[in-house]
Amino acid sequence: MIDLFHRLLLASDATLMALGGLALWLIAGFAALMERRRVRKRPIDRLEAVGWMPWTPIFVGCAIIGGGMLSMSAPVVLGELL
């Protein structure tokens, strides 16, 4: 646990950006899953009821930002792995 903390503390900016991009992609995947669940479980007249979350814009925003972060950090991170 301590070793992981020290590796994150001393990680390069590109590595931290890659981890942030991965986290945003995980949030995007969760939003896609919840959107699919929302559409399949509820009848169409209840889609606009109170409590509705805009899962699709959350998915698109997180996927685009996360993909951009991953693409900017990929050359450095892949260079460190090789």
Side-chain angles (χ1 to χ4, degrees):
M1 182 71 172
I2 297 293
D3 184 46
L4 177 66
F5 176 72
H6 286 286
R7 288 185 75 184
L8 287 176
L9 186 64
L10 299 173
S12 68
D13 291 339
T15 303
L16 295 176
M17 185 177 287
L19 290 174
L22 181 63
L24 284 171
W25 266 19
L26 289 174
I27 293 170
F30 176 74
L33 179 70
M34 295 307 289
E35 175 65 20
R36 182 174 177 188
R37 184 173 180 255
R38 179 186 70 85
V39 170
R40 295 180 94 202
K41 289 283 185 183
R42 292 188 181 167
I44 197 75
D45 59 333
R46 289 199 51 199
L47 287 179
E48 301 298 326
V50 174
W52 177 81
M53 278 293 290
W55 291 115
T56 303
I58 292 172
F59 165 76
V60 170
C62 288
I64 289 173
I65 295 170
M69 290 173 73
L70 284 172
S71 68
M72 286 191 301
S73 65
V76 175
V77 172
L78 291 177
E80 289 177 1
L81 293 177
L82 299 176

